[in-house]
Amino acid sequence: METTLRGVGVSHGVAIGEVRHMGTAVLEPPAKQIPAEEAEREQGRARQGVEAVAADLIARGNLAGGEAQHVLEAQAMMAQDPELMADVDRRIAVGSTAERAVYDAFAAYRALLAGAGEYLAGRVADLDDVRNRIVARLLGVPMPGVPDSDEPYVLIARDLAPADTALLDPTLVLGFVTEEGGPTSHSAILARALGVPAVVAMPGAGELVEGTVIAVDGSTGEVFVDPSGEKRAELAKAAEERKALLSAASGPGATSDGHKVPLLANVGGPADVPAAVEAGAEGVGLFRTEFLFLDDSTRAPSEEKQVEAYRKVLEAFPEGRVVVRVLDAGADKPLDFLTPADEPNPALGVRGLRTLLDHPDVLRTQLSALARAAEGLPVYLEVMAPMVADRIDAKAFADACREAGLQAKFGAMVEIPSAALRARSILQEVEFLSLGTNDLAQYTFAADRQVGAVSRLQDPWQPALLDLVAASAEAAKAEGKSCGVCGEAASDPLLACVLTGLGVTSLSMGAASIPYVRAALAKHTLAQCERAAAAARAADTAADARAAAQAVLSGE
């Protein structure tokens, strides 16, 4: 009998197929003692296991490319963390086996992160995956992972580690469903990059019986168990209509009555550029430069290395707009040479612009590299600071840009509610705003963006969040300046129409979402978008806001 389950849709499309479950987690190794004379050999085994896993993660990243490569390289660095390895050595020295020492050392570090307010929940999932891979290698057992199958299937898992998600074969894995995760988790971001329909944070996903046929709607978050022939036909028809719309829509982003809404791409480096160009991105709305710094957490990359990476991205968009976010370090992106090690709550501490203002040499080098990278190019370079709280922050950043001789527009990200509430004040110092809806939701609702249990508060349809977007857009309009959205909210076609109605002037998203958003905007007038935005803001819940906007745009 057909039943419907609901999670959070994080990657567009519909998948219908049989359930296959991810392999179970590695078993806890036995706690047995070894003689003192075997300690050195066990320490060697542990180091070999760690290096082998790090090499495997890097190799998977090289194969995957794009954003997945950056995520997996960060995981490899996690495996080789000197403090973790020192702890492993200490445990072996007092009698633990290599595998038990790794298991216990990672457990201790995991508890430390959880005790810091769980802001690093996404990193905890990655940490568990690294631990499991090392332990499996030391035990000599296969690492549980994507099931072997000659036939296409829908993958079910408690959560998916980046190393598994990055190499999913879209010809076999039709879509996936997880019990945990959220719209901004690594798995969700990589699913969108792959173009695989996905639903996360769905209770009871693990109870689906192997071989059961399910239909996954990655747009609505609905999962239909044993779908009827009628439901399959309905979903297939919707998929065909969506495909036709995508084919019909081309060119710059605009509403049906010609109101222009530039559609830009979020990129993490040069490897992400080809997909953005292929999708018809009109430029880059968020160039995340921190991935360049994560290559070595002990020191900043040289100015020459930065110039090379930045220029490759700038060259890909002649006459286009490229918005670069300066280094956003701290919280879930710690760097040894910058990030305080003893903050009780890193999410509310020294991160983003605060970090850079504490280390002006790092900011100065990055701004100088950007200035050099743009020399002689016809690109429209814009540079923005993360985690701007007030006018004092905005002025400090603008002053640093001028001192570095940067010929570009200077902007501020709106990720903290105070920045949205005082946007006109901030715009006295900078030339544009860019809304990071992921962090803005996190700070508005005190809801960790990586914790599935509070995912409803991370829903970008929350009316309170829409109010803050509206306040920012209205302030920018009053000052004659631009206000874009570069958070994952922009990748939802329906919400993209609402954001346009709220007054947002550009939308930036993962490349795979651009055709969907372009097609949705092309179906509606600006006035319809404005009415949908007003209806969404008048609602009391995220679900009601979405339903109200949908009703307006569908003419109900």
Side-chain angles (χ1 to χ4, degrees):
M1 187 174 105
E2 179 182 313
T3 57
T4 304
L5 303 175
R6 292 184 184 276
V8 179
V10 295
S11 185
H12 304 300
V14 173
I16 302 175
E18 291 188 1
V19 163
R20 294 286 184 276
H21 284 270
M22 195 77 173
T24 56
V26 174
L27 295 175
E28 180 178 345
K32 64 180 183 181
Q33 290 290 108
I34 59 167
E37 59 269 21
E38 292 184 16
E40 189 174 344
R41 180 179 68 84
E42 288 296 288
Q43 288 169 339
R45 279 185 67 226
R47 281 190 292 274
Q48 288 172 2
V50 166
E51 292 304 321
V53 166
D56 177 62
L57 290 168
I58 290 171
R60 286 170 179 259
N62 290 336
L63 284 172
E67 189 150 355
Q69 182 171 7
H70 301 303
V71 173
L72 291 171
E73 286 174 350
Q75 260 198 301
M77 287 171 54
M78 189 181 287
Q80 297 168 306
D81 183 272
E83 290 188 20
L84 264 174
M85 283 311 302
D87 191 18
V88 169
D89 282 342
R90 283 193 294 272
R91 292 173 186 275
I92 292 173
V94 295
S96 283
T97 61
E99 49 267 32
R100 186 70 207 192
V102 167
Y103 187 89
D104 289 340
F106 273 73
Y109 189 43
R110 189 185 200 284
L112 185 66
L113 294 185
E118 290 202 41
Y119 183 80
L120 305 183
R123 289 288 179 181
V124 165
D126 293 354
L127 189 73
D128 288 346
D129 180 59
V130 171
R131 176 203 65 201
N132 289 346
R133 291 177 186 279
I134 298 171
V135 170
R137 190 169 191 92
L138 291 171
L139 289 173
V141 300
M143 174 64 194
V146 178
D148 290 327
S149 176
D150 296 328
E151 298 296 324
Y153 59 90
V154 177
L155 183 62
I156 307 295
R158 177 173 164 270
D159 202 353
L160 282 171
D164 296 313
T165 315
L167 295 183
L168 289 179
D169 181 350
T171 64
L172 283 177
V173 181
L174 302 171
F176 65 76
V177 179
T178 66
E179 282 198 65
E180 298 186 358
T184 60
S185 66
H186 281 154
S187 292
I189 291 169
L190 296 177
R192 285 189 285 271
L194 284 166
V196 176
V199 171
V200 301
M202 194 188 85
E207 297 170 16
L208 291 170
V209 178
E210 188 94 2
T212 302
V213 174
I214 63 172
V216 179
D217 190 329
S219 299
T220 65
E222 293 173 306
V223 174
F224 305 95
V225 183
D226 291 323
S228 64
E230 183 181 353
K231 175 58 70 176
R232 293 192 194 200
E234 178 187 323
L235 290 170
K237 182 182 178 183
E240 283 302 314
E241 289 175 350
R242 202 173 289 150
K243 186 176 179 181
L245 281 172
L246 293 179
S247 300
S250 61
T255 57
S256 62
D257 55 342
H259 175 72
K260 292 183 179 180
V261 187
L263 302 181
L264 312 171
N266 295 343
V267 304
D272 294 335
V273 167
V277 172
E278 185 180 349
E282 298 167 59
V284 172
L286 173 61
F287 180 3
R288 302 182 183 95
T289 59
E290 61 268 19
F291 290 114
L292 185 63
F293 288 75
L294 290 170
D295 285 345
D296 182 354
S297 69
T298 62
R299 61 182 177 180
S302 68
E303 185 172 323
E304 293 302 324
K305 184 176 180 180
Q306 291 187 55
V307 170
E308 181 183 0
Y310 302 152
R311 194 168 180 89
K312 285 179 181 176
V313 175
L314 297 177
E315 287 175 336
F317 295 95
E319 306 294 338
R321 177 186 178 200
V322 175
V323 184
V324 179
R325 179 176 70 190
V326 293
L327 176 63
D328 184 14
D332 62 339
K333 296 182 286 284
L335 294 170
D336 293 345
F337 69 98
L338 286 180
T339 310
D342 56 352
E343 286 189 310
N345 191 336
L348 302 179
V350 181
R351 63 166 293 199
L353 179 62
R354 300 166 187 175
T355 301
L356 293 174
L357 294 179
D358 278 355
H359 297 82
D361 54 324
V362 175
L363 177 58
R364 191 180 309 113
T365 299
Q366 184 170 25
L367 294 174
S368 176
L370 284 165
R372 288 177 55 197
E375 284 177 2
L377 296 180
V379 69
Y380 295 96
L381 175 63
E382 301 184 11
V383 182
M384 61 185 181
M387 299 297 292
V388 171
D390 57 15
R391 185 172 178 173
I392 293 173
D393 280 350
K395 183 179 187 304
F397 178 65
D399 287 345
C401 289
R402 294 188 191 96
E403 288 169 12
L406 193 61
Q407 299 298 309
K409 284 187 176 182
F410 318 140
M413 290 198 71
V414 177
E415 300 165 288
I416 303 173
S418 63
L421 296 170
R422 300 289 293 173
R424 287 197 72 169
S425 173
I426 287 172
L427 284 166
Q428 305 311 304
E429 305 294 344
V430 295
E431 297 172 82
F432 69 94
L433 300 177
S434 183
L435 287 141
T437 52
N438 302 341
D439 266 326
L440 185 57
Q442 170 171 255
Y443 291 121
T444 299
F445 297 102
D448 191 320
R449 55 188 284 189
Q450 298 288 357
V451 176
V454 294
S455 61
R456 79 169 185 87
L457 296 172
Q458 270 291 324
D459 191 327
W461 283 95
Q462 287 283 358
L465 187 65
L466 298 180
D467 287 345
L468 292 175
V469 173
S472 302
E474 288 163 7
K477 183 177 181 180
E479 294 295 329
K481 297 180 178 180
S482 63
C483 176
V485 167
C486 64
E488 290 300 322
S491 66
D492 178 338
L494 180 61
L495 186 51
C497 294
V498 167
L499 295 172
T500 299
L502 291 174
V504 166
T505 55
S506 66
L507 298 166
S508 189
M509 65 209 76
S513 298
I514 290 175
Y516 292 91
V517 172
R518 182 189 290 120
L521 287 172
K523 285 176 61 182
H524 306 291
T525 66
L526 176 59
Q528 287 175 317
C529 292
E530 289 172 341
R531 287 198 297 273
R537 288 184 67 190
D540 290 323
T541 69
D544 288 347
R546 172 183 273 278
Q550 181 69 67
V552 170
L553 294 178
S554 62
E556 295 176 7

